[in-house]
Amino acid sequence: MLPDDANVAGNVHGGTILKMIEEAGAIISTRHCNSKHRESCVAALARVERTDFLSPMNIGEVAHVSAEITYTSKHSVEVQVTVTSENIITGVKKVTNKATLWYVPLSLSNVERVLEVPPLVYVRKDQEVEGRKRYEAQKLERMETTWKTSDTIQPVLNTEPYTIGYSQSSLIHLLGPSDCSLQGFVHGGVTMKLMDEVAGIVAARHCKTNIVTASVDAINFHKKIKKGCVITISGRLTFTSNKSMEIEVLVDADPIVDHSAERFRAASAFFTYVSLSKDGKTLPVPPLLAQITGLEHSTYGPFTGPSATLMWAMHRDSYGGQDGPGPALGSSRQAEAGHFSWVGARGRPAETWLPSASVLVFSWPGDRAF
């Protein structure tokens, strides 16, 4: 690992590791899909399961990336990747990452056509059974994320520190030949690295300390991105606890060389970051503040559950998919003497969980909001 791979504190960027993981997965899955001398194909990344960063990797260490195919369905390949760091001076090795990726084989003659995957030979029957369960679970979750493709992150000016608008960030990147495969589509690892960079900027703006990637929730790749597209990677805070912060990252692609094509959502994910001191110890994360609009004035404050009615007006609740005022689908609220306690679809209480693109309206008991 070289200085270009790390932040100012010497910790290797999570995006750099994610890119290595994807490259290993692409190699082994493409090799497998072409093993039966069928129609030539290339494996395209469709999804990355939750990835935990178990231990930091530092400048000067050597990264060992190993990949193994653990399940195949008719049209997809599951690859499990392990990353180990080695200090070549002391000889100490440690596992830094474990990840699961899903690939689909695309025909080289027509990249819009998905080919069949050669079946994997399993050592034990239960390996196939367990793999099938994982396949069905990720397929269901992937289908549930398709409705989020209409959600957007709008720029906010003149915001208070520790609010969503204060730390939210965007990066615009023109995809060139070095970002893409020989077939002219961007590498999944390139996209993930850029997503991690934006998430890191959001986390650093919020904490103003050294920050590192702790984990990545499932990254879903909704559509392929062609060479020459301009992509916009946007990130915003959605949740903070005492020791970590969750950041939603969206990737939109604009095919500027194709006037007939429209801008589209290419990928989405949630990143979790932690704040570190100069000694590498975890620091408390400043709470995320929400704007609370009163009858005559507005103020900012944390979700502390005031003894009044909390109402909300949403452009679109990105966790429930319901337009207009009201609770999200799959969420619950409980009224207690004029006080609503809100639990979001991601299972977090109102004190720490914030529906994206929402404004909380603070109204006194007795007022009718709707």
Side-chain angles (χ1 to χ4, degrees):
M1 294 290 103
L2 302 175
D4 287 346
D5 300 317
N7 60 19
V8 294
N11 304 122
V12 175
H13 293 296
T16 299
I17 298 174
L18 289 172
K19 187 178 179 181
M20 292 190 298
I21 289 173
E22 196 279 328
E23 288 174 350
I27 291 171
I28 192 172
S29 54
T30 298
R31 182 183 293 156
H32 175 79
C33 292
N34 288 281
S35 61
K36 298 300 181 181
H37 303 288
R38 301 177 179 179
E39 184 177 350
S40 297
C41 63
V42 60
L45 181 63
R47 175 181 169 88
V48 180
E49 300 289 355
R50 177 183 172 88
T51 302
D52 290 310
F53 289 72
L54 307 174
S55 180
M57 189 180 298
N58 301 307
I59 294 174
E61 293 182 334
V62 175
H64 300 262
V65 184
S66 59
E68 177 186 10
I69 294 177
T70 50
Y71 180 76
T72 58
S73 68
K74 185 176 181 179
H75 295 293
S76 62
V77 181
E78 180 192 52
V79 180
Q80 294 190 6
V81 181
T82 302
V83 182
T84 304
S85 67
E86 177 189 3
N87 186 318
I88 57 176
I89 297 177
T90 63
V92 174
K93 294 182 180 181
K94 57 185 178 182
V95 176
T96 61
N97 299 82
K98 288 187 176 181
T100 302
L101 304 88
W102 292 89
Y103 288 84
V104 293
L106 305 179
S107 170
L108 289 180
S109 60
N110 179 9
V111 292
E112 299 300 327
R113 186 159 60 93
V114 179
L115 302 180
E116 291 190 10
V117 177
L120 182 67
V121 178
Y122 301 95
V123 178
R124 302 187 313 274
K125 182 63 178 178
D126 63 314
Q127 291 178 319
E128 183 176 8
V129 174
E130 293 299 319
R132 182 71 183 181
K133 291 179 181 179
R134 295 193 300 270
Y135 168 75
E136 294 294 344
Q138 68 85 25
K139 184 178 179 180
L140 178 62
E141 185 176 343
R142 181 173 172 79
M143 291 174 63
E144 291 175 347
T145 64
T146 56
W147 59 264
K148 273 184 62 67
T149 57
S150 62
D151 191 23
T152 58
I153 298 178
Q154 300 294 337
V156 181
L157 301 177
N158 302 321
T159 57
E160 296 290 330
Y162 307 124
T163 60
I164 292 178
Y166 182 80
S167 59
Q168 75 177 38
S169 305
S170 296
L171 183 153
I172 299 175
H173 180 72
L174 173 64
L175 294 170
S178 62
D179 299 317
C180 301
S181 66
L182 296 176
Q183 290 71 43
F185 293 94
V186 65
H187 292 292
V190 171
T191 305
M192 291 193 293
K193 184 176 181 180
L194 292 171
M195 294 173 77
D196 179 74
E197 287 181 10
V198 170
I201 293 172
V202 173
R205 279 181 167 172
H206 183 75
C207 294
K208 296 180 173 59
T209 61
N210 178 36
I211 47 85
V212 293
T213 312
S215 67
V216 183
D217 273 7
I219 303 176
N220 289 294
F221 292 84
H222 307 292
K223 291 184 179 180
K224 299 185 295 295
I225 312 174
K226 292 183 179 180
K227 178 177 62 179
C229 284
V230 171
I231 58 174
T232 302
I233 306 99
S234 305
R236 62 184 167 196
L237 272 169
T238 55
F239 165 77
T240 59
S241 69
N242 184 46
K243 292 293 180 66
S244 66
M245 64 204 104
E246 180 188 71
I247 299 158
E248 181 183 29
V249 181
L250 306 177
V251 180
D252 295 305
D254 187 7
I256 58 174
V257 296
D258 185 358
H259 298 292
S260 63
E262 297 181 350
R263 182 186 178 100
F264 61 90
R265 174 64 40 79
S268 58
F270 285 90
F271 288 72
T272 300
Y273 274 76
V274 294
S275 175
L276 298 180
S277 67
K278 294 181 179 179
D279 301 329
K281 298 181 180 179
T282 56
L283 294 173
V285 174
L288 181 62
L289 305 183
Q291 184 177 12
I292 302 175
T293 305
L295 296 178
E296 298 180 355
H297 65 282
S298 297
T299 185
Y300 288 89
F303 292 103
T304 55
S307 57
T309 304
L310 280 176
M311 296 297 182
W312 50 95
M314 290 174 249
H315 167 67
R316 183 176 182 87
D317 180 357
S318 67
Y319 294 106
Q322 178 171 321
D323 288 310
L329 300 175
S331 59
S332 63
R333 61 176 182 172
Q334 179 181 4
E336 295 180 0
H339 169 64
F340 284 103
S341 61
W342 168 266
V343 179
R346 291 179 69 85
R348 298 192 174 101
E351 285 77 8
T352 55
W353 178 84
L354 181 65
S356 61
S358 65
V359 177
L360 297 179
V361 182
F362 185 68
S363 60
W364 299 105
D367 294 337
R368 292 184 61 87
F370 310 117

